[in-house]
Amino acid sequence: MLMVAVSMVVFSLVSLSPVDPVAANVGQAALSGMSDEKLATLQAYWGKDVPLVERYASWVSGLLRGDMGDSLRFNAPVAQVVAQRAANSLVLMGIAWLASGVLGLALGIAAGVRRGGAADRLVKASCFVLAASPTFWVALLMLIVFGVVLGWFPIGFSAPIGKAAADVTWLDAFHHLALPAITLSVVGVANVALHTREKTIDVMGSPYVRFARARGESTGSVVIHHGLRNLVLPALTIQCSQIAEIFGGSVLVEQVFSYPGLGQAAVSAGIGGDTALLAGIALVSAALVFGGNLVANILYGVVDPRMRKEYSRG
Amino acid sequence: MAELASGILHIPKARRLPSRRAALVLAVASVALLVGVVVAGRVLEPAAMATDFTQKNLPPSLAHPFGTDWMGRDMLARTLAGLSLSVLVGLGAAGASSLIALVLGSAAALGGRRADAAVSWLIDLMMGIPHIVLLILISFALGKGFWGVTVGVALTHWPSLTRVVRAEILQCRQSGFVAAARKLGATPVQVALRHMVPFVLPQFLVGLILMFPHAILHEAALTFLGFGLPPEQPAIGIILSESMTYLSAGLWWLAVFPGLALIAAVMLFDAVGSSVRRLVDPTSAQE
């Protein structure tokens, strides 16, 4: 139901655009030198005069058959472009999602266990700064420091330039993936870390922790045996609700690193007036967010036995 | 940003007690600084456009604290001008967005069950598409440029504030003092003006101020991607995306200082927001 609405919103927004696909793709010089007949053929090819509702109907019926139309920019079916790009993007986002979650959890616990200590203040301050800094600027800094000055990582793309696709090794791919993934993870940490910190403070003040301490358990053991379960759940909730944010971040990061993922494709589609591709990517991203929420709901059951009971009771 | 504010709200009591005046000073100082930046940026705009090819690609020095770019433009002037532009666009967009939030929030709270369901469904819809993608879509639909960003940011930032407004109005409506006022014969208009507005307004203002940083960051991001303000204007996003071309040539100051300035502006807005919240929040206002 919501997906249908999303598809309608996406399609009407995309169709509203005054960006003329002919003008955007042919180029100014070619456009002015083109004969009227040629122009009319091209406009007909890109379906300029078909009314909105009709176009939507044909687009949706295509969608249901798995046909998302053809990308003007890449001159290939949208589904193919999206699939190819999504593989790159999903690896990037998956790593960032996991890394920022784990790192955020660890930092949040470290900060919350000794509240007001040096680690706490450090984590809190850096999280505030991170939450305020624009993703693309962090990416730029990473690029300057590790790509240009230190030269540890390549400054763009997902494989070495001038190497045939078949020769690209896993190591190459990983080497190119590292910097964008690190950037995206670092940017995503702030939210989880701050929330986990709050929760950790709550947990550390709870009666069961006091009892565990009275039994002589060490701080580490208290955190592992009593804290972790209670802390993972809120962290998981936040991480799942952050999928949309991470997707947004990946758009920016991919743009900075010229990493050929979904986000970069969305940007070039938007600038080039490639409606079909833009609409396809928007739909996929929305599906990703819904999927994330679904996975979150399933994972709650795994982590939290109370929820399982509630479900089985109906 | 709400998390940030709650983080500040949860600092230990001992340090919070004498903080009322500190919060006020912080808020006023931040506002003054931001106004200063905007004014300076507007005044310096000609300087930000002035090129001087004898002075190009200079690293930061006393004459040019932020260095100069490949056209000999002073980066400090450009940064300030860009920042003021970004702040103004952010303010306008967030203001418009808050109006949407106010209307939809009150409609949801007062318009009956149908309106409530419709609004929360709209919110789900907005949350379902990643922000940046939605911004790109809206900006694309409006043909990019100034209106593309402003409308885009305005149309995407209302959901959280709408929830706040709705919750506040509902809470207020069920409170004892509203019931008492009704029994005393107050008309709905009187109740709304006398009781609802003072109750909801502070939270609304705080939400609005805390929306600014988001709006500014998203404006910058969108402009950076090429969907926002036109490239002739010295917006922060433009400056940063231009700097990308010169990164491998080692012109690091083109990217570093404008970014730092943007972070500073965002954190100042945050500081204003959380200080104002501390001042108007009934649980901490009496300390």
Side-chain angles (χ1 to χ4, degrees), chain A residues 13 16-18, chain B residues 137-145 147-149 151-152 155:
Chain A
L13 278 176
L16 266 175
S17 174
Chain B
L137 277 175
I138 295 176
S139 179
F140 178 69
L142 293 171
K144 304 165 195 172
W147 285 109
V149 216
V151 175
L155 282 184

Side-chain angles (χ1 to χ4, degrees), chain A residues 2 5-6 9-10 13-14 16-19 115 124 128-129 131-134 136-137 140-141 143-144 148 191 194-195 198 244-245 247-248 251-252 255-256 267 270-271 273 275 278 282 285-286 289, chain B residues 1 3-4 6-8 10-12 121 124-125 127-133 136-138 140-144 217 220-221 224-227 240 243-244 247-248 252 255-256 259-260 262-263 266-267:
Chain A
L2 219 47
V6 167
V9 169
V10 164
L13 278 176
V14 160
L16 266 175
S17 174
V19 178
R115 180 184 183 187
K124 225 167 56 169
F128 281 135
V129 175
S133 37
F136 56 95
W137 185 71
L140 277 176
L141 272 197
L143 202 54
I144 294 176
V148 178
N191 227 337
L194 286 175
H195 269 269
E198 302 269 303
E245 289 289 312
F247 191 93
V251 173
L252 295 163
Q255 182 69 10
V256 173
V267 172
I271 290 184
T275 25
L278 190 55
S285 70
V289 173
Chain B
M1 293 300 144
E3 300 83 50
L4 296 188
S6 76
I8 287 171
H10 285 83
I11 55 178
W121 188 77
D124 284 345
L125 181 63
M127 301 288 225
I129 311 176
H131 250 150
I132 295 274
V133 175
I136 290 179
L137 277 175
I138 295 176
F140 178 69
L142 293 171
K144 304 165 195 172
L217 280 181
F224 176 79
L225 289 177
F227 292 93
L240 287 175
S243 79
M244 272 204 348
L247 272 190
S248 46
W252 53 271
V256 172
L260 281 179
L262 181 59
I263 295 182
V266 166
M267 292 192 79

Side-chain angles (χ1 to χ4, degrees), chain B residues 97 100-102 104-106 108 119 123 158-167:
Chain B
S97 196
I100 301 178
L102 189 61
L104 285 180
S106 345
V119 168
I123 292 178
W158 52 267
S160 55
L161 190 54
T162 303
R163 282 193 181 147
V164 172
V165 170
R166 175 178 168 274

Side-chain angles (χ1 to χ4, degrees), chain B residues 132-268:
Chain B
I132 295 274
V133 175
L134 196 57
L135 279 169
I136 290 179
L137 277 175
I138 295 176
S139 179
F140 178 69
L142 293 171
K144 304 165 195 172
F146 170 77
W147 285 109
V149 216
T150 316
V151 175
V153 174
L155 282 184
T156 47
H157 283 68
W158 52 267
S160 55
L161 190 54
T162 303
R163 282 193 181 147
V164 172
V165 170
R166 175 178 168 274
E168 287 290 324
I169 293 184
L170 282 182
Q171 195 193 338
C172 180
R173 212 158 64 137
Q174 286 158 0
S175 64
F177 59 85
V178 167
R182 285 237 179 83
K183 284 275 188 266
L184 288 172
T187 61
V189 177
Q190 273 174 329
V191 170
L193 288 181
R194 280 269 186 78
H195 302 288
M196 295 281 196
V197 173
F199 191 85
V200 177
L201 197 62
Q203 299 300 329
F204 176 71
L205 282 180
V206 170
L208 173 60
I209 298 172
L210 288 177
M211 200 198 278
F212 292 151
H214 268 282
I216 292 168
L217 280 181
H218 275 130
E219 184 275 322
L222 204 57
T223 307
F224 176 79
L225 289 177
F227 292 93
L229 301 171
E232 312 85 66
Q233 265 166 333
I236 285 280
I238 301 281
I239 295 175
L240 287 175
S241 91
E242 282 173 348
S243 79
M244 272 204 348
T245 328
Y246 296 86
L247 272 190
S248 46
L251 306 185
W252 53 271
W253 58 89
L254 294 184
V256 172
F257 292 120
L260 281 179
L262 181 59
I263 295 182
V266 166
M267 292 192 79
L268 279 177

Side-chain angles (χ1 to χ4, degrees), chain A residues 203-217 222 226:
Chain A
V203 167
M204 293 314 273
S206 66
Y208 58 82
V209 165
R210 183 177 297 176
F211 180 58
R213 290 237 187 227
R215 283 200 314 262
E217 280 189 45
V222 165
H226 303 279

Side-chain angles (χ1 to χ4, degrees), chain B residues 17-79:
Chain B
L17 277 179
S19 70
R20 197 170 157 75
R21 178 162 296 169
L24 191 63
V25 171
L26 184 64
V28 171
S30 308
V31 169
L33 204 58
L34 284 167
V35 170
V37 165
V38 171
V39 172
R42 295 277 88 186
V43 171
L44 282 173
E45 198 166 328
M49 309 287 242
T51 56
D52 181 356
F53 286 97
T54 57
Q55 305 260 315
K56 62 184 179 182
N57 295 340
L58 293 179
S61 63
L62 272 183
H64 300 285
F66 286 13
T68 61
D69 65 3
W70 65 100
M71 284 165 90
R73 293 176 290 195
D74 181 46
M75 286 309 287
L76 177 61
R78 262 173 90 65
T79 303

Side-chain angles (χ1 to χ4, degrees), chain A residues 8-244:
Chain A
M8 276 163 116
V9 169
V10 164
F11 191 79
S12 45
L13 278 176
V14 160
S15 309
L16 266 175
S17 174
V19 178
D20 183 357
V22 180
N25 275 280
V26 178
Q28 214 62 41
L31 190 68
S32 58
M34 206 183 285
S35 70
D36 281 351
E37 291 158 44
K38 184 92 177 147
L39 198 64
T41 341
L42 277 179
Q43 280 176 352
Y45 174 60
W46 277 319
K48 211 181 176 193
D49 299 321
V50 187
L52 181 65
V53 180
E54 204 175 302
R55 270 185 292 166
Y56 178 69
S58 79
W59 185 63
V60 167
S61 69
L63 266 188
L64 294 179
R65 280 183 278 113
D67 173 17
M68 299 167 101
D70 288 323
S71 160
L72 306 174
R73 195 85 182 156
F74 296 90
N75 206 7
V78 168
Q80 192 188 324
V81 177
V82 166
Q84 193 187 347
R85 296 293 182 122
N88 283 335
S89 268
L90 284 180
V91 173
L92 175 65
M93 283 191 274
I95 293 179
W97 187 80
L98 215 68
S100 66
V102 172
L103 197 64
L105 190 68
L107 285 177
I109 292 178
V113 165
R114 273 190 232 293
R115 180 184 183 187
D120 185 22
R121 268 178 289 168
L122 191 70
V123 167
K124 225 167 56 169
S126 49
C127 281
F128 281 135
V129 175
L130 268 182
S133 37
T135 314
F136 56 95
W137 185 71
V138 177
L140 277 176
L141 272 197
M142 289 287 204
L143 202 54
I144 294 176
V145 174
F146 295 107
V148 178
V149 178
L150 294 176
W152 289 355
F153 294 100
I155 57 173
F157 307 109
S158 67
I161 299 167
K163 219 172 178 184
D167 298 340
V168 176
T169 57
W170 277 101
L171 205 64
D172 284 336
F174 190 73
H175 194 206
H176 282 77
L177 180 69
L179 210 48
I182 293 172
T183 310
L184 206 50
S185 319
V186 167
V187 171
V189 156
N191 227 337
V192 190
L194 286 175
H195 269 269
T196 306
R197 177 181 166 274
E198 302 269 303
K199 290 283 169 208
T200 311
I201 290 172
D202 285 352
V203 167
M204 293 314 273
S206 66
Y208 58 82
V209 165
R210 183 177 297 176
F211 180 58
R213 290 237 187 227
R215 283 200 314 262
E217 280 189 45
S218 66
T219 308
S221 150
V222 165
V223 168
I224 290 171
H225 293 125
H226 303 279
L228 214 51
R229 253 184 187 230
N230 290 308
L231 296 172
V232 164
L233 192 67
L236 200 61
T237 317
I238 289 173
Q239 253 338 62
C240 286
S241 69
Q242 252 199 322
I243 286 181

